[in-house]
Amino acid sequence: MRTARSLALGLAGAMLAATVVTADSHAPAPSPAIKARQAQMQLYAFNLGTLGAMAQEKAPYDAEVASVAAKNLAALAHLDGSLLWPAGTDADSVEGTRALPDIWANFPDVAAKAQALQEAADVMADAAGTDLAALQAAMGPLGGACGACHKAYRVPD
Amino acid sequence: MQRFLIRVALLGLVAVAAGLWITRPKADGAEVLAGLTADAGRGEMVFTAAGCASCHMAPEAEGEARLVLAGGQSFPSPFGSFTAPNISPDPAEGIGDWSALELWNALHHGTSPDGQHYYPAFPYASYIRMEPQAVVDLHAYLQTLPADATPSAPHAVPFPFNIRASLGGWKMLFLRPGWVMAGDLTAEEARGRVLAEAMGHCAECHSPRNALGGTKTGADWLTGAPNPAGRGSFPNLTPPALDWSQDELVEYFTSGFTPEYDVVGGHMAHVVENLAQLPESDRAAIAAYLKRLPLDG
């Protein structure tokens, strides 16, 4: 009787431990790659904000400042991102990211969209220092290039 | 005893028959659209505001291809996966042979021309608030779009949700023709209400639902909801959770830029593509409507 009871207790304990281990394996430490690519997105947003405030005429147009922000954007878009998206860092596998697994299933399309972003950012880098109208005209395509990836490959909010 | 059982069985049959009769697919007669003249130009605005193409275009269509309403996109939910049908003007595979009245009954009652219930993945719970004139105009515009002969794919909906007769009960519980936001509204807010509650069907994603899939109203209206497709959620649109100004909302509806210079993604990116084609006054009207939220419980 006592043996049966301790066996049952032992089994329950083992199952509990197994549960804890399983639960733990679902929450691995956040990948530094996720942090790094989110930091890249933050830098995009910061520089876009400088350009956007001018485009929306909420800040006075300043050719020099606009040029700096636009060149930063282009530099960011041209970063080699190949180390930022290791396998297993999608939203189905880990917490803390909105990157859909489709990214890894459609790499040629992702690369094409990244190239479109580089082209839009290069246009902005040329336009931002020219005048306000040129900056405003380059803003839409730049947002569109960002949005193309967000539309296809990002989990809703 | 045997006689008693027969009586119970008969009573049960009568109850089922009565239930089916009460919840049968509803349809209006021609009088509802009598005397209206269609304008395809206005219909294009209805089409854009109602976001028809975002769901009915072929998967991943871009540019002009978005106007080919061949269907085929799938919409997973806790009740099964729904596939948008072909609504191009092809008379065999699309809806080219539909009358304006048949379109009205689909949008307003969720009833097909052959008298079947549609699943509410087709957002007739919102479109029920569309005016007859808007539907007549939309019908005229849809006829101008390219025909496509792709057959509609079946839904993948398991038992018991594949019993379409049960949708009559769902409609009785959740189909409400009236406005959700009542009270005194400015002309701008009222226009925003048409765009948000009827055509734009914001609540289909942004309002939480009860266990039977009915959209919650009152204080829960547009307070955000989990994504029925499984990943992520749709944000709360009611102040103070929504702390964007009216101008910032208009900018988002136009360019997709948030005040923090993130850029719109997911299905909302399609919505912004549509909103950007509307007059700026319409985008401002939706923003004015949202700024009037939340509703009282």
Side-chain angles (χ1 to χ4, degrees):
Chain A
M1 192 62 197
R2 176 168 282 191
T3 329
R5 201 170 142 196
S6 45
L7 190 67
L9 270 176
L11 265 175
M15 279 164 76
L16 192 70
T19 319
V20 170
V21 168
T22 325
D24 199 48
S25 71
H26 277 284
S31 160
I34 293 176
K35 277 192 184 171
R37 67 201 191 207
Q38 287 174 350
Q40 186 187 11
M41 296 295 175
Q42 284 288 321
L43 286 168
Y44 276 128
F46 177 75
N47 289 289
L48 271 171
T50 303
L51 297 170
M54 291 184 203
Q56 290 179 49
E57 298 176 40
K58 286 177 180 164
Y61 175 69
D62 181 325
E64 211 167 307
V65 173
S67 204
V68 170
K71 281 180 181 144
N72 283 345
L73 270 179
L76 284 165
H78 283 279
L79 280 183
D80 183 334
S82 56
L83 302 181
L84 292 178
W85 306 89
T89 59
D90 59 87
D92 278 2
S93 305
V94 286
E95 297 286 315
T97 176
R98 290 162 69 192
L100 284 173
D102 283 359
I103 292 172
W104 286 266
N106 300 286
F107 240 83
D109 181 57
V110 176
K113 287 180 163 63
Q115 197 185 335
L117 175 63
Q118 291 174 355
E119 286 161 13
D122 289 344
V123 170
M124 177 59 95
D126 286 338
T130 309
D131 57 30
L132 180 59
L135 185 156
Q136 286 168 328
M139 201 66 192
L142 190 54
C146 299
C149 250
H150 294 180
K151 183 160 96 174
Y153 298 117
R154 189 170 74 172
V155 173
D157 209 4
Chain B
M1 185 62 192
Q2 205 176 0
R3 211 179 242 187
F4 173 75
L5 282 178
I6 290 171
R7 276 192 190 159
V8 169
L10 277 174
L11 257 174
L13 275 175
V14 168
V16 168
L20 285 173
W21 173 252
I22 292 168
T23 63
R24 72 193 182 282
K26 291 183 176 49
D28 291 321
E31 67 283 351
V32 70
L33 303 181
L36 300 176
T37 312
D39 179 328
R42 282 192 314 240
E44 182 178 6
M45 281 292 127
V46 175
F47 175 82
T48 304
C52 310
S54 303
C55 288
H56 288 281
M57 66 188 187
E60 288 160 45
E62 294 284 348
E64 284 296 297
R66 288 183 297 165
L67 296 179
V68 182
L69 307 178
Q73 293 187 68
S74 49
F75 298 88
S77 83
F79 306 103
S81 184
F82 300 95
T83 307
N86 184 334
I87 62 161
S88 82
D90 187 90
E93 303 299 341
I95 64 169
D97 62 349
W98 282 25
S99 67
L101 183 64
E102 286 170 327
L103 182 64
W104 164 267
N105 281 318
L107 293 167
H108 200 82
H109 295 296
T111 300
S112 75
D114 58 0
Q116 269 207 330
H117 289 300
Y118 285 122
Y119 286 107
F122 170 35
Y124 52 80
S126 298
Y127 295 157
I128 190 171
R129 303 185 184 97
M130 280 169 66
E131 292 295 319
Q133 183 65 58
V135 175
V136 166
D137 293 341
L138 175 62
H139 179 259
Y141 176 69
L142 287 173
Q143 298 292 329
T144 69
L145 296 176
D148 183 283
T150 308
S152 297
H155 303 306
V157 177
F159 182 83
F161 306 113
N162 59 349
I163 305 172
R164 285 191 187 242
S166 65
L167 292 167
W170 189 92
K171 288 178 181 177
M172 259 183 88
L173 290 171
F174 306 122
L175 211 48
R176 295 279 177 273
W179 296 116
V180 179
M181 182 187 282
D184 287 336
L185 272 66
T186 66
E188 186 181 48
E189 289 160 356
R191 175 65 184 160
R193 185 171 65 177
V194 170
L195 291 162
E197 292 190 15
M199 297 183 196
H201 59 277
C202 310
E204 302 286 342
C205 287
H206 288 279
S207 280
R209 291 174 184 272
N210 59 31
L212 294 173
T215 301
K216 293 184 183 175
T217 55
D220 292 318
W221 183 244
L222 296 176
T223 53
N227 178 5
R231 298 186 190 95
S233 60
F234 301 113
N236 184 344
L237 304 185
T238 67
L242 177 78
D243 57 359
W244 300 357
S245 70
Q246 189 175 3
D247 282 353
E248 287 170 337
L249 284 164
V250 172
E251 177 63 29
Y252 180 67
F253 296 153
T254 309
S255 66
F257 285 117
T258 72
E260 297 81 30
Y261 282 87
D262 187 3
V263 179
V264 64
H267 196 82
M268 191 64 197
H270 295 291
V271 177
V272 168
E273 282 167 12
N274 293 329
L275 296 180
Q277 294 175 54
L278 298 179
E280 179 160 329
S281 58
D282 276 355
R283 293 191 289 273
I286 298 171
Y289 171 89
L290 295 179
K291 298 298 272 184
R292 276 289 297 265
L293 296 169
L295 302 180
D296 296 330

